[in-house]
Amino acid sequence: MNIESIQTYPLYHQIQEPYGDANGYKSYRSCFLICIRTVDGVEGWGECMDWHPYLEQSFQERIIPYLIGKKTTDRSQLVSTVRNWHHRAATGVSMALTEILARQAGIHICDLWGGIQHRQIPVYASFQSYTDRSDWIQHSLTQVERSLSAGYSRVKVKIGGRPLQEDMKHIEGVMQLTEGKVGLAVDANQSYDVSTALSWNRVFSKGDHWLWFEEPIPLDELSSYQLFRSRCYLPVAGGENLTGPTKFAPLIRQGALDIFQPDVAHSGGIGFYQDTIKMARHFGFRVSPHTYDGFLTRLYTLFCQACLSPWSKMAEESLEPVEWDVMENPFSTLISVQPKNGEVMIPEGIGTGVEWDREKLESFRLV
Ligand code: MG
């Protein structure tokens, strides 16, 4: 079946109160959707992340003219060509073509990938802890408390963006609030050197419900990660910005991480993302995916996790949690897939199994 048309949908939302991590504040949220339609009227949607004008130009001037008229069943070749031009755009194209294939076959996307192995996917509440407020710690604790009331049993908060003692005061507050009943991860966004990151061991030694320490030091220093991992009390996680399996391979060789955190949006296509998580599994590493920007990307992350072989023989720990952004991000409400008590149920049906709120989508569209 051949491609007849492709529409682009750049979405934008101004955040009411900027929030952030050690890399700074975010004042807006954005994502870029595409809809590929075949001559027979079958639609597939994709999502990609980059600067909107750059994506729009790439699609209008090069990607769309190339794809029009091509056979949707030549998915691998089409995605590979687009990847050579625009790595992140290839992710959106791969999503849309995958959905079209599933719709044509009359099956769910997960069925294309060998079938669902996990219907309920655990998720963790992911926070951008910093705000410009002088009482940012109290504000963060209030938000964490709200997520506990919503039933989350795992949370991730930010460190590395404030003086060490201030950050430690914040984390000790979170520990007090969660009373050891909730899994807790901290994310430094590559802010420390090895010795500063290791000073967190004295906080870690006070609790026993830790999930992981995420990207404590720059990820290109693999020998430092190896050293750090051997001395840190917590499992070490990272890799959200790495662009595919070849970038993760050195981390496996060096034994740099315990938990791999690839992001579909940075992967250059769903296929590359799945290569990465399967590779991690083959070598005995855990996979707790990063997925922050957008919402369709997160849905595909859930699908991939649903089809991943179990990590552990213990049923309660057989699957690692997926990141769930709990900050102000209205794109999340465009589809009905939402967590309940810290888990998301994979929707059944043809294709993605979800319906769109098209009216709401148009309200976020940047013209
Ligand atoms: Mg991170």
Side-chain angles (χ1 to χ4, degrees):
M1 205 177 288
N2 293 26
I3 296 171
E4 183 181 67
S5 66
I6 302 175
Q7 295 289 322
T8 59
Y9 296 80
L11 307 189
Y12 178 88
H13 171 74
Q14 189 82 33
I15 296 168
Q16 287 175 2
E17 180 181 8
Y19 48 71
D21 56 22
N23 292 329
Y25 294 130
K26 295 161 182 67
S27 58
Y28 67 91
R29 302 297 296 260
S30 66
C31 68
F32 192 94
L33 296 173
I34 60 165
C35 178
I36 298 181
R37 190 179 171 89
T38 69
V39 290
D40 295 345
V42 180
E43 283 185 353
W45 288 78
E47 184 181 61
C48 36
M49 312 299 164
D50 209 329
W51 191 48
H52 278 167
Y54 179 43
L55 273 171
E56 190 68 42
Q57 187 181 17
S58 299
F59 271 96
Q60 298 302 339
E61 293 184 6
R62 199 168 196 187
I63 299 170
I64 293 176
Y66 165 71
L67 290 175
I68 296 294
K70 296 289 193 305
K71 282 165 58 185
T72 54
T73 43
D74 290 336
R75 191 169 81 258
S76 296
Q77 180 59 52
L78 300 181
V79 172
S80 173
T81 301
V82 173
R83 186 186 303 119
N84 289 334
W85 299 334
H86 197 305
H87 190 88
R88 292 182 172 192
T91 297
V93 172
S94 74
M95 284 180 196
L97 294 178
T98 301
E99 185 182 358
I100 287 172
L101 186 62
R103 285 188 181 280
Q104 286 169 336
I107 58 177
H108 194 276
I109 283 170
C110 289
D111 295 331
L112 283 181
W113 297 339
I116 290 179
Q117 300 201 41
H118 318 270
R119 179 66 64 182
Q120 300 264 113
I121 311 298
V123 297
Y124 66 87
S126 181
F127 292 93
Q128 298 278 310
S129 305
Y130 300 126
T131 54
D132 221 6
R133 299 170 178 230
S134 56
D135 66 341
W136 72 269
I137 291 180
Q138 188 50 49
H139 181 63
S140 166
L141 295 179
T142 304
Q143 288 188 305
V144 171
E145 197 168 21
R146 212 171 286 153
S147 75
L148 302 185
S149 305
Y152 286 96
S153 56
R154 302 171 181 86
V155 299
K156 182 174 87 181
V157 288
K158 297 293 186 179
I159 61 173
R162 294 287 190 274
L164 201 56
Q165 294 307 320
E166 195 174 328
D167 269 344
M168 287 181 173
K169 188 178 163 202
H170 172 224
I171 297 306
E172 284 170 349
V174 177
M175 290 169 69
Q176 217 168 15
L177 184 68
T178 55
E179 297 177 321
K181 293 172 187 157
V182 169
L184 179 56
V186 290
D187 182 2
N189 291 92
Q190 309 190 28
S191 298
Y192 298 127
D193 59 13
V194 172
S195 63
T196 310
L198 282 172
S199 65
W200 277 93
N201 270 345
R202 68 175 183 265
V203 175
F204 300 152
S205 65
K206 295 176 190 170
D208 59 1
H209 279 69
W210 298 102
L211 295 174
W212 62 76
F213 193 167
E214 184 169 321
E215 301 200 330
I217 52 181
L219 199 55
D220 50 0
E221 298 170 11
L222 291 191
S223 56
S224 296
Y225 262 90
Q226 200 178 26
L227 173 69
F228 181 79
R229 186 183 172 212
S230 70
R231 296 188 181 179
C232 181
Y233 293 172
L234 268 53
V236 182
E240 64 193 56
N241 295 309
L242 300 183
T243 52
T246 56
K247 302 295 181 188
F248 277 91
L251 278 70
I252 289 177
R253 280 198 293 270
Q254 297 255 6
L257 296 176
D258 295 281
I259 301 170
F260 281 41
Q261 298 181 305
D263 189 317
V264 169
H266 304 156
S267 66
I270 293 293
F272 267 24
Y273 175 82
Q274 289 177 310
D275 288 348
T276 300
I277 62 176
K278 286 177 186 172
M279 180 175 74
R281 270 293 187 273
H282 284 310
F283 287 91
F285 292 90
R286 276 179 274 172
V287 177
S288 195
H290 179 272
T291 173
Y292 184 71
D293 291 309
F295 63 100
L296 197 54
T297 305
R298 183 166 61 195
L299 186 64
Y300 274 82
T301 306
L302 293 167
F303 291 163
C304 290
Q305 203 77 348
C307 297
L308 193 59
S309 56
W311 154 249
S312 164
K313 292 174 184 170
M314 291 170 282
E316 303 78 22
E317 297 174 11
S318 66
L319 193 67
E320 306 90 319
V322 169
E323 180 169 32
W324 196 276
D325 166 29
V326 291
M327 305 305 290
E328 181 189 343
N329 180 3
F331 307 146
S332 286
T333 62
L334 289 171
I335 54 175
S336 58
V337 177
Q338 299 296 329
K340 193 174 175 189
N341 294 324
E343 290 190 327
V344 174
M345 178 78 86
I346 296 295
E348 294 180 22
I350 307 296
T352 60
V354 301
E355 293 301 323
W356 289 92
D357 189 335
R358 301 285 178 99
E359 211 171 298
K360 200 183 269 186
L361 184 148
E362 289 293 339
S363 72
F364 294 123
R365 194 169 180 180
L366 199 63
V367 285

